[in-house]
Amino acid sequence: MEPTPFVGPDLTTPNPTRIYDYSLGGAHNVAADRTVGDAIIAATRNGRQVARANRDFMRRAVRHCLTDGVTQFLDLGSGIPSVGNVHEIAKAADPSSRVVYVDNEAVAVSQTRAVLAGVDRTAMVQADLRNAAAVLEAAETRGLIDFDRPVALMTVAVLHYLGHEEDVLAVLAPYHRLLAPGSYFVVSHATADGREEEAAAVAARFEATTHQIHYRSRTEVRELFGGFSLVDPGVVWTSEWRPDDDSDDDTPPSDSACWAGVGRLD
Ligand SMILES: C[S@@+](CC[C@H](N)C(=O)[O-])C[C@H]1O[C@@H](n2cnc3c(N)ncnc32)[C@H](O)[C@@H]1O
């Protein structure tokens, strides 16, 4: 019998998942990622701040859902584990919280599974979020998430990997349809608004990677919240979304380069 060829992660082509990990100071990246990561950081006014501001927004959004009693999280495009993962924030507030992570990148999946070993009521599903059936019918999702109760559906820094030819709302519809009243929809999304030149330079760097980046405007991001009531302050720069009282971040909000919002299903 022929040996099965080894299919591992491609470590020669830069990969945005690992580049994001590099921006956050993580260790799950290789030289090819760091070269493009440095070029992206250099092309951006406040380089590493983009990833940090996004991650901080995610933390605040998760806490907001928890304070409203939502303890189930379905995190699409969850990435490589880093400081302040959704399950850590959720379980610190309520140990019975349930978290299902979803990503289609091997490195994100294997690292997340390693981090989750022994952490109850958490799971990692390897799937493309466009394939909602694969996500929603996965044994892990069915076993952990009760859609009769409110769920926080997280799409943080992931929808900009869907092309402009794709109907993002149609991709999300099977998830949205399942959500019970009181559920949340959390979004952050890269934009070129007010930073067209810089955004074009960053997009050009992405060309060398496995994924392209597709910017959307504030209006387009707002439209993603169709049936949801936007929680104050609406769709704003990630760093402007309910900043912590003790925040000493004096970076111009637009340097966070992503729009962010949280919607609630009434
Ligand atoms: C920039 S990271 C964001 C990670 C995390 N959500 C955060 O904000 O810290 C984007 C992640 O989305 C994943 N991703 C991109 N397209 C995806 C798709 N179609 N289905 C599932 N995951 C996807 C990538 O593999 C990557 O891990």
Side-chain angles (χ1 to χ4, degrees):
M1 202 169 84
E2 287 291 308
T4 312
F6 171 74
V7 182
D10 172 1
L11 296 179
T12 51
T13 311
N15 172 308
T17 312
R18 298 189 309 247
I19 293 171
Y20 180 72
D21 173 70
Y22 173 59
S23 301
L24 288 170
H28 302 297
N29 48 76
V30 296
D33 307 315
R34 295 191 283 273
T35 303
V36 175
D38 284 336
I40 290 174
I41 289 166
T44 323
R45 269 195 306 269
N46 244 315
R48 289 178 188 274
Q49 180 61 13
V50 176
R52 284 201 201 108
N54 177 66
R55 200 78 190 166
D56 286 346
F57 157 71
M58 185 181 84
R59 169 178 51 77
R60 299 192 301 273
V62 168
R63 289 214 178 119
H64 178 85
C65 298
L66 286 159
T67 54
D68 197 24
V70 176
T71 56
Q72 305 190 94
F73 295 83
L74 180 58
D75 186 2
L76 305 179
S78 49
I80 295 171
S82 183
V83 176
N85 298 297
V86 171
H87 74 281
E88 292 163 332
I89 303 161
K91 285 188 174 287
D94 184 337
S96 71
S97 297
R98 292 158 182 258
V99 180
V100 173
Y101 291 116
V102 178
D103 207 290
N104 59 353
E105 281 292 339
V107 61
V109 173
S110 61
Q111 293 307 320
T112 303
R113 288 201 171 127
V115 165
L116 295 184
V119 183
D120 72 340
R121 301 190 184 98
T122 61
M124 175 82 225
V125 173
Q126 179 161 19
D128 190 311
L129 70 89
R130 298 176 182 95
N131 187 352
V135 174
L136 296 169
E137 287 165 21
E140 294 88 342
T141 312
R142 291 165 66 104
L144 282 175
I145 305 288
D146 173 4
F147 283 98
D148 289 336
R149 294 194 299 119
V151 172
L153 179 71
M154 318 273 306
T155 60
V156 181
V158 61
L159 297 177
H160 45 237
Y161 295 116
L162 302 189
H164 287 291
E165 74 291 356
E166 299 187 69
D167 183 344
V168 180
L169 274 176
V171 168
L172 293 169
Y175 301 99
H176 286 171
R177 265 199 298 274
L178 279 185
L179 297 177
S183 291
Y184 280 93
F185 177 42
V186 176
V187 180
S188 69
H189 194 298
T191 190
D193 290 357
R195 50 184 293 275
E196 287 73 12
E197 249 180 63
E198 177 186 296
V202 169
R205 304 289 187 282
F206 265 85
E207 307 247 310
T209 78
T210 51
H211 293 52
Q212 306 311 304
I213 192 157
H214 308 281
Y215 300 114
R216 289 185 175 83
S217 67
R218 188 181 199 175
T219 305
E220 288 171 307
V221 173
R222 242 189 232 121
E223 282 166 5
L224 298 177
F225 289 94
F228 295 81
S229 302
L230 271 169
V231 169
D232 276 350
V235 172
V236 292
W237 298 108
T238 44
S239 63
E240 286 180 319
W241 197 89
R242 300 190 172 216
D244 295 325
D245 291 340
D246 59 355
S247 169
D248 56 3
D249 180 8
D250 54 5
T251 317
S254 59
D255 283 9
S256 55
C258 290
W259 293 121
V262 175
R264 186 177 188 277
L265 202 60
D266 297 324

Coordinates of all heavy atoms in Angstrom, one line a residue, residues 194-246:
G194 N -11.7 56.4 4.9 CA -10.9 57.5 5.4 C -9.4 57.1 5.4 O -8.6 57.8 5.9
R195 N -9.1 55.9 4.9 CA -7.7 55.5 4.9 C -7.4 54.7 3.6 O -6.7 53.7 3.6 CB -7.4 54.6 6.1 CG -8.4 53.5 6.4 CD -8.1 52.8 7.6 NE -6.9 52.0 7.6 CZ -6.7 50.8 7.1 NH1 -7.8 50.1 6.5 NH2 -5.6 50.1 7.2
E196 N -7.9 55.3 2.5 CA -7.9 54.6 1.2 C -6.5 54.1 0.8 O -6.2 53.0 0.3 CB -8.6 55.4 0.1 CG -10.1 55.5 0.2 CD -10.6 56.4 1.3 OE1 -9.8 57.1 1.9 OE2 -11.8 56.3 1.6
E197 N -5.5 55.1 0.9 CA -4.1 54.8 0.4 C -3.5 53.7 1.2 O -2.9 52.7 0.7 CB -3.3 56.0 0.5 CG -2.9 56.6 -0.9 CD -2.1 57.8 -0.7 OE1 -0.9 57.7 -0.2 OE2 -2.5 58.9 -1.1
E198 N -3.6 53.9 2.5 CA -3.0 52.9 3.4 C -3.7 51.5 3.2 O -3.0 50.5 3.2 CB -3.2 53.4 4.8 CG -2.7 52.4 5.9 CD -3.1 52.9 7.3 OE1 -2.6 54.0 7.7 OE2 -3.9 52.3 8.0
A199 N -5.0 51.5 3.1 CA -5.7 50.3 2.9 C -5.3 49.6 1.6 O -5.1 48.3 1.6 CB -7.2 50.5 2.9
A200 N -5.1 50.4 0.6 CA -4.6 49.8 -0.7 C -3.2 49.1 -0.5 O -3.0 48.1 -1.1 CB -4.6 50.8 -1.8
A201 N -2.4 49.8 0.2 CA -1.0 49.3 0.4 C -1.1 48.0 1.2 O -0.4 47.0 0.9 CB -0.2 50.3 1.2
V202 N -2.0 47.9 2.2 CA -2.1 46.7 3.0 C -2.7 45.6 2.1 O -2.2 44.4 2.1 CB -3.0 46.9 4.2 CG1 -3.4 45.6 4.9 CG2 -2.3 47.9 5.2
A203 N -3.7 45.9 1.3 CA -4.3 44.9 0.5 C -3.3 44.3 -0.5 O -3.3 43.1 -0.8 CB -5.5 45.5 -0.3
A204 N -2.4 45.2 -1.0 CA -1.3 44.7 -1.9 C -0.4 43.7 -1.2 O 0.0 42.7 -1.8 CB -0.5 45.9 -2.4
R205 N -0.2 43.9 0.1 CA 0.7 43.0 0.8 C 0.0 41.6 1.0 O 0.6 40.6 1.0 CB 1.0 43.5 2.2 CG 1.7 44.9 2.2 CD 3.2 44.7 1.7 NE 3.9 46.0 1.9 CZ 3.8 47.1 1.1 NH1 2.9 47.0 0.1 NH2 4.5 48.1 1.3
F206 N -1.4 41.7 1.1 CA -2.2 40.5 1.3 C -2.1 39.6 0.0 O -2.3 38.4 0.1 CB -3.6 40.8 1.6 CG -3.9 40.8 3.1 CD1 -3.7 41.9 3.9 CD2 -4.4 39.7 3.7 CE1 -3.9 41.9 5.2 CE2 -4.7 39.7 5.1 CZ -4.4 40.8 5.9
E207 N -1.8 40.2 -1.1 CA -1.8 39.5 -2.4 C -0.8 38.3 -2.3 O -1.1 37.3 -2.9 CB -1.4 40.4 -3.5 CG -2.3 41.6 -3.6 CD -3.1 41.7 -4.8 OE1 -2.6 41.4 -5.9 OE2 -4.4 41.9 -4.6
A208 N 0.2 38.5 -1.5 CA 1.2 37.4 -1.4 C 0.8 36.3 -0.5 O 1.5 35.3 -0.3 CB 2.5 38.0 -0.9
T209 N -0.4 36.4 0.2 CA -0.8 35.5 1.2 C -1.9 34.6 0.7 O -2.3 34.7 -0.5 CB -1.3 36.2 2.5 OG1 -2.7 36.7 2.2 CG2 -0.4 37.4 2.9
T210 N -2.3 33.6 1.5 CA -3.3 32.7 1.1 C -4.7 33.3 1.0 O -5.6 32.7 0.4 CB -3.4 31.5 2.2 OG1 -3.5 32.1 3.5 CG2 -2.1 30.7 2.1
H211 N -5.0 34.4 1.6 CA -6.3 35.1 1.6 C -6.2 36.5 1.1 O -5.2 37.2 1.5 CB -6.9 35.1 3.0 CG -7.3 33.8 3.6 ND1 -6.4 32.7 3.7 CD2 -8.4 33.3 4.1 CE1 -6.9 31.7 4.3 NE2 -8.2 32.0 4.5
Q212 N -7.2 37.0 0.4 CA -7.2 38.4 0.1 C -8.1 39.1 1.1 O -9.0 38.5 1.7 CB -7.8 38.6 -1.3 CG -7.0 37.8 -2.4 CD -5.5 38.0 -2.3 OE1 -5.0 39.1 -2.3 NE2 -4.7 36.9 -2.1
I213 N -7.9 40.4 1.3 CA -8.7 41.2 2.2 C -9.7 42.0 1.4 O -9.3 42.6 0.3 CB -7.9 42.0 3.1 CG1 -8.7 42.6 4.3 CG2 -7.1 43.1 2.4 CD1 -7.9 42.9 5.5
H214 N -11.0 42.0 1.8 CA -12.0 42.8 1.1 C -12.6 43.8 2.0 O -13.4 43.4 2.9 CB -13.1 41.8 0.5 CG -12.4 40.6 -0.2 ND1 -12.0 40.8 -1.5 CD2 -12.1 39.4 0.1 CE1 -11.5 39.6 -1.9 NE2 -11.5 38.8 -0.9
Y215 N -12.3 45.0 1.8 CA -12.8 46.1 2.7 C -14.3 46.3 2.5 O -14.8 46.2 1.4 CB -12.1 47.4 2.5 CG -10.6 47.2 2.7 CD1 -9.7 47.4 1.7 CD2 -10.1 47.0 4.0 CE1 -8.3 47.2 1.9 CE2 -8.7 46.9 4.2 CZ -7.8 47.0 3.2 OH -6.5 46.9 3.4
R216 N -15.0 46.7 3.6 CA -16.4 47.2 3.5 C -16.5 48.5 4.2 O -15.8 48.8 5.2 CB -17.3 46.1 4.0 CG -17.4 44.9 3.0 CD -18.4 43.8 3.3 NE -18.5 42.8 2.3 CZ -17.6 41.8 2.2 NH1 -16.7 41.6 3.1 NH2 -17.7 40.9 1.2
S217 N -17.4 49.3 3.7 CA -17.6 50.6 4.3 C -18.5 50.5 5.6 O -19.1 49.4 5.9 CB -18.4 51.5 3.3 OG -19.7 51.0 3.2
R218 N -18.6 51.6 6.3 CA -19.4 51.6 7.5 C -20.8 51.3 7.2 O -21.5 50.5 7.9 CB -19.3 53.0 8.2 CG -19.9 53.1 9.5 CD -19.8 54.5 10.0 NE -19.9 54.6 11.5 CZ -19.8 55.7 12.2 NH1 -19.4 56.8 11.6 NH2 -19.9 55.7 13.5
T219 N -21.3 51.8 6.1 CA -22.7 51.5 5.7 C -22.9 50.0 5.4 O -23.9 49.4 5.9 CB -23.1 52.3 4.4 OG1 -22.8 53.7 4.7 CG2 -24.5 52.2 4.0
E220 N -21.9 49.5 4.7 CA -22.0 48.0 4.4 C -22.0 47.2 5.7 O -22.7 46.2 5.8 CB -20.9 47.6 3.5 CG -21.1 48.1 2.0 CD -19.9 47.9 1.2 OE1 -18.8 48.2 1.6 OE2 -20.1 47.3 0.1
V221 N -21.2 47.6 6.6 CA -21.1 46.8 7.9 C -22.4 47.0 8.7 O -22.9 46.0 9.2 CB -19.8 47.3 8.7 CG1 -19.8 46.6 10.1 CG2 -18.5 46.9 8.0
R222 N -22.9 48.2 8.7 CA -24.2 48.4 9.4 C -25.3 47.5 8.8 O -26.1 47.0 9.5 CB -24.6 49.9 9.2 CG -24.7 50.6 10.5 CD -25.3 51.9 10.3 NE -24.5 53.0 10.9 CZ -24.0 54.0 10.3 NH1 -24.3 54.2 9.0 NH2 -23.2 54.9 10.9
E223 N -25.3 47.3 7.4 CA -26.3 46.5 6.8 C -26.3 45.1 7.2 O -27.3 44.4 7.1 CB -26.1 46.6 5.3 CG -26.7 48.0 4.7 CD -26.2 48.2 3.3 OE1 -25.6 47.4 2.7 OE2 -26.6 49.4 2.8
L224 N -25.1 44.6 7.7 CA -25.0 43.2 8.2 C -25.9 43.0 9.4 O -26.3 41.8 9.7 CB -23.6 42.9 8.5 CG -22.6 43.0 7.4 CD1 -21.2 42.7 7.9 CD2 -22.9 42.0 6.3
F225 N -26.4 44.1 10.1 CA -27.1 43.9 11.3 C -28.6 43.9 11.0 O -29.4 44.0 12.0 CB -26.8 45.0 12.3 CG -25.4 44.9 12.9 CD1 -24.3 45.5 12.3 CD2 -25.2 44.0 14.0 CE1 -23.0 45.3 12.8 CE2 -23.9 43.8 14.5 CZ -22.8 44.5 13.9
G226 N -29.0 43.8 9.7 CA -30.4 43.8 9.3 C -31.5 43.7 10.4 O -32.1 44.7 10.8
G227 N -31.7 42.5 10.9 CA -32.8 42.2 11.9 C -32.5 42.5 13.3 O -33.3 42.2 14.2
F228 N -31.3 43.0 13.6 CA -30.8 43.2 15.0 C -30.9 44.6 15.4 O -30.8 45.5 14.5 CB -29.4 42.8 15.1 CG -29.1 41.3 14.9 CD1 -29.0 40.8 13.6 CD2 -29.0 40.4 15.9 CE1 -28.8 39.4 13.3 CE2 -28.8 39.1 15.7 CZ -28.7 38.6 14.4
S229 N -31.1 44.9 16.7 CA -31.0 46.3 17.2 C -29.6 46.5 17.6 O -29.0 45.8 18.4 CB -31.9 46.5 18.4 OG -33.2 46.1 18.2
L230 N -29.0 47.6 17.0 CA -27.6 47.9 17.3 C -27.5 48.4 18.7 O -28.2 49.3 19.1 CB -27.1 48.9 16.3 CG -26.5 48.4 15.1 CD1 -26.2 49.5 14.1 CD2 -25.2 47.6 15.3
V231 N -26.6 47.8 19.5 CA -26.3 48.3 20.8 C -25.6 49.6 20.7 O -24.7 49.7 19.8 CB -25.5 47.2 21.5 CG1 -24.9 47.6 22.9 CG2 -26.3 45.9 21.7
D232 N -25.8 50.5 21.6 CA -25.0 51.8 21.6 C -23.5 51.5 21.8 O -23.2 50.6 22.5 CB -25.4 52.6 22.8 CG -26.7 53.5 22.5 OD1 -27.1 53.5 21.3 OD2 -27.2 54.0 23.4
P233 N -22.6 52.1 21.1 CA -22.8 53.3 20.2 C -23.0 53.0 18.7 O -22.6 53.8 17.9 CB -21.5 54.1 20.5 CG -20.5 53.0 20.6 CD -21.2 51.8 21.3
G234 N -23.5 51.8 18.4 CA -23.7 51.5 17.0 C -22.4 51.0 16.3 O -21.6 50.4 17.0
V235 N -22.3 51.2 15.0 CA -21.1 50.7 14.3 C -20.0 51.9 14.4 O -20.3 53.0 13.8 CB -21.4 50.3 12.9 CG1 -20.1 50.1 12.1 CG2 -22.3 49.1 12.9
V236 N -18.9 51.6 15.1 CA -17.9 52.6 15.3 C -16.5 51.9 15.1 O -16.5 50.7 14.9 CB -18.0 53.2 16.7 CG1 -19.2 54.0 16.9 CG2 -18.0 52.1 17.8
W237 N -15.5 52.7 15.2 CA -14.1 52.1 15.1 C -14.0 51.1 16.3 O -14.6 51.4 17.4 CB -13.0 53.1 15.2 CG -13.0 54.1 14.0 CD1 -13.4 55.4 14.1 CD2 -12.7 53.8 12.7 NE1 -13.3 55.9 12.8 CE2 -12.9 55.0 11.9 CE3 -12.2 52.6 12.0 CZ2 -12.6 55.0 10.6 CZ3 -12.0 52.7 10.7 CH2 -12.2 53.9 9.9
T238 N -13.2 50.0 16.2 CA -13.2 49.0 17.2 C -12.8 49.7 18.6 O -13.4 49.4 19.6 CB -12.1 47.9 16.9 OG1 -10.9 48.6 16.4 CG2 -12.6 46.9 15.9
S239 N -11.9 50.6 18.6 CA -11.4 51.2 19.8 C -12.5 52.1 20.5 O -12.4 52.5 21.6 CB -10.1 52.0 19.6 OG -10.3 53.1 18.8
E240 N -13.5 52.5 19.7 CA -14.5 53.4 20.2 C -15.7 52.6 20.8 O -16.6 53.3 21.3 CB -15.1 54.3 19.1 CG -14.1 55.4 18.6 CD -14.8 56.2 17.5 OE1 -15.4 55.6 16.6 OE2 -14.6 57.4 17.5
W241 N -15.7 51.3 20.6 CA -16.9 50.6 21.0 C -16.8 50.3 22.6 O -16.0 49.5 23.0 CB -17.0 49.2 20.3 CG -18.4 48.7 20.5 CD1 -19.5 48.9 19.7 CD2 -18.9 47.8 21.5 NE1 -20.6 48.3 20.2 CE2 -20.3 47.6 21.3 CE3 -18.3 47.2 22.6 CZ2 -21.0 46.8 22.1 CZ3 -19.1 46.4 23.5 CH2 -20.4 46.2 23.2
R242 N -17.5 51.1 23.3 CA -17.5 51.0 24.8 C -16.2 50.8 25.4 O -15.9 49.8 26.0 CB -18.5 49.9 25.2 CG -19.9 50.1 24.7 CD -20.9 49.1 25.3 NE -22.2 49.5 24.9 CZ -23.3 49.4 25.7 NH1 -23.1 48.9 26.9 NH2 -24.4 49.8 25.3
P243 N -15.2 51.8 25.2 CA -13.9 51.6 25.8 C -14.0 51.5 27.3 O -14.9 52.0 27.9 CB -13.2 52.9 25.3 CG -14.2 53.8 24.9 CD -15.4 53.0 24.5
D244 N -13.0 50.7 27.8 CA -12.9 50.6 29.3 C -12.8 52.0 29.9 O -12.1 52.8 29.4 CB -11.7 49.7 29.7 CG -11.9 48.3 29.2 OD1 -13.0 47.8 29.1 OD2 -10.9 47.7 28.8
D245 N -13.3 52.1 31.1 CA -13.3 53.4 31.8 C -11.8 53.8 32.1 O -11.5 55.0 32.0 CB -14.0 53.3 33.2 CG -15.5 53.2 33.0 OD1 -15.9 53.6 31.9 OD2 -16.1 52.7 34.0
D246 N -10.9 52.8 32.3 CA -9.5 53.2 32.6 C -8.6 53.1 31.4 O -7.4 53.1 31.5 CB -9.0 52.2 33.7 CG -9.1 50.7 33.2 OD1 -9.6 50.5 32.1 OD2 -8.6 49.9 34.0

